[in-house]
Amino acid sequence: MATTLLVQNSFFNNNNSNNTPENASQKHINTPKTRNPRVEISSGSSNYTRLRTKQSKSSKTVIEPGTLTLTRDLQSLVDSGSMDDAHHLFDKINCLDIYIWNVMIRGFASNGLFREAVDFYRRMESEGFKADNFTYPFVIKACGGLLWSIGGEMVHAKLFKCGLDWDVYVCNSLIVMYMKVGCVECAERVFDEMPVRDLVSWNSMINGYHIVGDGVSSLMCFKEMQKHGMRHDRFSVISSLGASSSERFLKSGKEIHCQVIKNSLEMDVMVQTSLIDMYSKCGIVDYAERVFSRIFSRNVVTWNAMIGGYVLNAHFSESFTFLKKMQEDDKLSPDAITMINLLPSCAQLGALLEGKSTHGYGIRKGFLPHLVFETSLVDMYGRCGELKMAECIFESMTEKNLVSWNAMIAAYTQNGRNKKALKLFQDLWSNKFHEPLTPDAITFASILPAYAEMATLGEGRQIHALITKLGLVLNTCISNSIVYMYAKCGDLHIARKLFHGILCKDVISWNVIIMAYAIHGLAKRSIQLFNEMREKGINPNGSTFVSLLSSCSICGMMDEGWDYFNSMRRDYGIEPGIEHYGCMIDLLGRSGNLDQAKHFIEEMPLVPTAKIWGSLLTASRKNNDIVSAEFAARHILSLEHDNTGCYVLLSNMYAEAGRWEDVERIQGLMEKEGLEKTVSCSVVENNSEAHRFINQESSHNKLHMIYNVLDILLRKIGEDVYVHTVTKFRPPNLLRKRAKSPVNHSVRLAISFGLISTTVGNPVLVRNNTRICEDCHNAAKKISEITKRELIVGDPKVFHHFRDGYCSCGDYW
DNA sequence: CAGGAATGTG
């Protein structure tokens, strides 16, 4: 791995000595200065100009303390960011005054050393100096930087005492601080009560609303400002463009673009960058390109915005083209944000190699550790199926936020590692290892698929309640996942009810409900819903057809299946993907035509995956065709040599055919691979308590009664002689198999327990982690008949509804 | 005898 990462990739040139980001940003600094110095003074950009003003060389051996020279030296140290040196010099000064203290506090605050700024302020006060109107803006900024709202409020309270609560600079700092800590009302109060408001006050409000995520108020404030006769500047425009982007308000974005032109701000590179971002986020990448093409001096940020725009609008290959252009045309080196922008492209294209070279480039350039970069890497590796790498990065991260956790949880669920996902989700809650984090919509969207696969109905209800409590149920994406979860947990009724309750149904809502009926074996309803969806004017997408074709294959609806398969390209312009072909192979397998299925695999334009061969394997098993099964298994194992299910299925087939030497051979192979057969487990709930059973269960507290019930049931359905007929021909070394006879399979135990612990009239719901075996399927049918109870048994793929001696699956699964 | 607040790409 390490070697792959360190391989120089053609995407990144880092030969040119002149293309460092440092040089790039200096180029950018020079631009505003040369253009019009006077305008720049009134509209700011002090950060940069300050850096380049008076570079009088400071010598630390200053002779006369307390003189003007000393103060100047201190200032230039502070301005160049050398706070350590400044601190040393400060300690040497004998006659301190408020001015010198202010220089130090400003130095800390503007260099991001907020803690130190506050400490210095405290020290100053304790030494008897009184803070003045210059001190407070720095201190308030430091409180904001620390997100320390209590400190900010304390300072605010002091201002009234010393009568500085009206100072424009002080109030502006308060607005920024309150917005930063998220206290919009406090910021609004300060703004409303200011006797005099200047441009900065308005701009701070506009930007403040934007950073708290209230783009609407930000844009309203921008308009309000003009009504008050206040002329906007580049700061106002940049912030309100940001607000337009985050709200995806193309119209207001365009209006601001007009203002930009009217006020001759269109040559400002920051404004141009904001415009690119706005147009990209509003989905008009051509406009963004047009703005981009007119920029004379582009910097890394501009390029990043453009590359990010391409990625956002799914122009993945353009994003890489622009990476090259950026390096060749403008001799600029990509920075960490370029990488972060590119990683989703790698993920979407499944371009693992590019992903790895992006990672490698980040390592070589020293961009790591970097919270966002690492999180994007976790996401990329997760999506590319490189779970180990994702895990490795996540675990090594020194700092993690909710987004990082979400990315790792999603990586697990996307790669079918549901147990790990659930474990991580639990760790997120228990704040043993980190600051408490409250899951958000993305967390739930990521974890719900794992709940769908693993949870009991009761656990499903719990997570649903939690989502409701956090006020996230109105989120369509989450509602969709909840509907699917209930269906997968066995409660189709609730799933349907919740589906109808979704206010803004999107195409995914429909896909989910169609799939819900599919897994419960109700294809007619699936098709009905598909028609209903079209009547409502919702355009189906590829996933809709996965749901629909699954439904047809689960229920064995041959003709309908082929009709939909042919129609998707012809009527909807949707090219069948690998999943669609998979459904069709299931369908062919069901009809028993294995040759046709094999032919179909050979003919299809996509490279068959292990899953495709898995469909053929299942079909071979159902049709008792060992030769086809071996053929499919060879393909599966060449792609996934650790596919436990494949070994087990083949071994079972050999066992049924009495080919014991082959059974042993497979067992040997599994041992060599270090694989163990999945322990079958059946879960049934009673009083919201999950009761888990394994084959030959021996630890349940009502074990005796359950076995008695099972005995009675088996006698009634005439299976009590079964044990001897099956096992008597087995060779001695496989006699231990005897214990594994289906009579004591977990499903039967769960059903028995379910029957005695639930009210008559309610169905018995059992969830299985493996497919139900044929013997148990037969037994369940008979049990449903003699007990007159509905039994619902879910396996990883479908739900069997046993009623009156029949199963909804039509005996094919 | 100086000094202060707000901005673009993740």
Side-chain angles (χ1 to χ4, degrees), chain A residues 553-758:
Chain A
S553 91
I554 289 169
C555 303
M557 295 167 71
M558 284 294 151
D559 300 340
E560 289 86 347
W562 281 110
D563 282 350
Y564 286 123
F565 184 74
N566 293 326
S567 139
M568 60 186 282
R569 185 191 287 130
R570 186 188 59 220
D571 305 329
Y572 300 94
I574 300 167
E575 205 53 43
I578 196 81
E579 297 98 334
H580 304 106
Y581 285 101
C583 293
M584 298 319 285
I585 293 156
D586 285 337
L587 200 63
L588 285 168
R590 196 174 169 133
S591 72
N593 203 332
L594 292 179
D595 288 333
Q596 213 180 326
K598 274 183 246 178
H599 189 65
F600 189 75
I601 296 176
E602 277 164 22
E603 292 286 296
M604 68 184 209
L606 299 168
V607 181
T609 55
K611 246 187 158 163
I612 293 285
W613 294 115
S615 293
L616 183 66
L617 181 63
T618 311
S620 312
R621 151 112 220 206
K622 278 287 151 193
N623 293 289
N624 259 323
D625 183 335
I626 292 198
V627 179
S628 294
E630 284 170 334
F631 173 74
R634 260 201 302 280
H635 280 289
I636 295 172
L637 296 177
S638 74
L639 295 164
E640 291 177 359
H641 56 90
D642 58 348
N643 190 318
T644 311
C646 174
Y647 288 109
V648 172
L649 204 146
L650 204 58
S651 161
N652 286 347
M653 282 182 80
Y654 287 136
E656 274 163 29
R659 289 170 57 174
W660 303 108
E661 63 290 348
D662 285 318
V663 173
E664 280 189 284
R665 186 171 54 84
I666 299 285
Q667 280 174 357
L669 283 174
M670 282 181 75
E671 270 165 39
K672 225 171 89 187
E673 287 282 345
L675 300 175
E676 273 178 42
K677 193 178 163 183
T678 317
V679 178
S680 290
C681 179
S682 304
V683 187
V684 65
E685 270 186 294
N686 179 31
N687 294 330
S688 66
E689 196 188 324
H691 295 258
R692 283 168 214 279
F693 297 89
I694 55 167
N695 294 348
Q696 274 66 57
E697 177 66 46
S698 60
S699 64
H700 194 274
N701 59 3
K702 285 187 180 162
L703 202 63
H704 214 68
M705 190 169 23
I706 295 166
Y707 274 109
N708 279 339
V709 171
L710 185 57
D711 259 359
I712 296 165
L713 288 171
L714 291 185
R715 216 163 300 148
K716 274 202 166 183
I717 64 173
E719 276 201 9
D720 51 334
V721 285
Y722 182 79
V723 187
H724 313 288
T725 56
V726 167
T727 51
K728 71 178 167 193
F729 303 116
R730 297 197 179 187
N733 62 333
L734 285 160
L735 261 183
R736 57 194 173 89
K737 281 262 154 200
R738 175 200 199 112
K740 296 192 177 174
S741 74
V743 178
N744 295 329
H745 271 179
S746 60
V747 194
R748 301 184 187 213
L749 297 167
I751 289 175
S752 306
F753 179 72
L755 284 168
I756 54 174
S757 61
T758 52

Side-chain angles (χ1 to χ4, degrees), chain A residues 40-78:
Chain A
E40 291 305 315
I41 290 158
S42 65
S43 63
S45 96
S46 49
N47 276 350
Y48 299 143
T49 39
R50 199 166 47 219
L51 275 170
R52 318 214 88 231
T53 48
K54 44 190 169 172
Q55 285 289 332
S56 60
K57 276 282 149 264
S58 63
S59 57
K60 269 195 227 163
T61 50
V62 178
I63 324 106
E64 297 160 44
T67 62
L68 186 57
T69 357
L70 198 51
T71 316
R72 285 231 177 100
D73 286 341
L74 188 70
Q75 242 160 348
S76 59
L77 283 176
V78 161

Side-chain angles (χ1 to χ4, degrees), chain A residues 387-437:
Chain A
L387 201 55
K388 283 255 162 61
M389 277 305 285
E391 243 173 353
C392 173
I393 292 168
F394 181 75
E395 275 160 17
S396 73
M397 284 172 78
T398 45
E399 198 196 343
K400 291 172 193 157
N401 62 12
L402 186 60
V403 185
S404 335
W405 284 82
N406 289 348
M408 194 62 230
I409 291 172
Y412 280 134
T413 47
Q414 281 156 12
N415 290 284
R417 307 297 289 271
N418 295 312
K419 256 195 195 152
K420 288 210 162 190
L422 291 168
K423 169 77 172 55
L424 201 64
F425 181 62
Q426 253 149 30
D427 288 348
L428 172 66
W429 274 106
S430 69
N431 36 22
K432 270 179 277 179
F433 318 106
H434 52 85
E435 294 285 298
L437 291 168

Side-chain angles (χ1 to χ4, degrees), chain A residues 506-522:
Chain A
D506 58 13
V507 61
I508 298 166
S509 317
W510 289 92
N511 297 350
V512 161
I513 196 72
I514 293 172
M515 192 55 133
Y517 279 98
I519 59 178
H520 283 273
L522 296 161

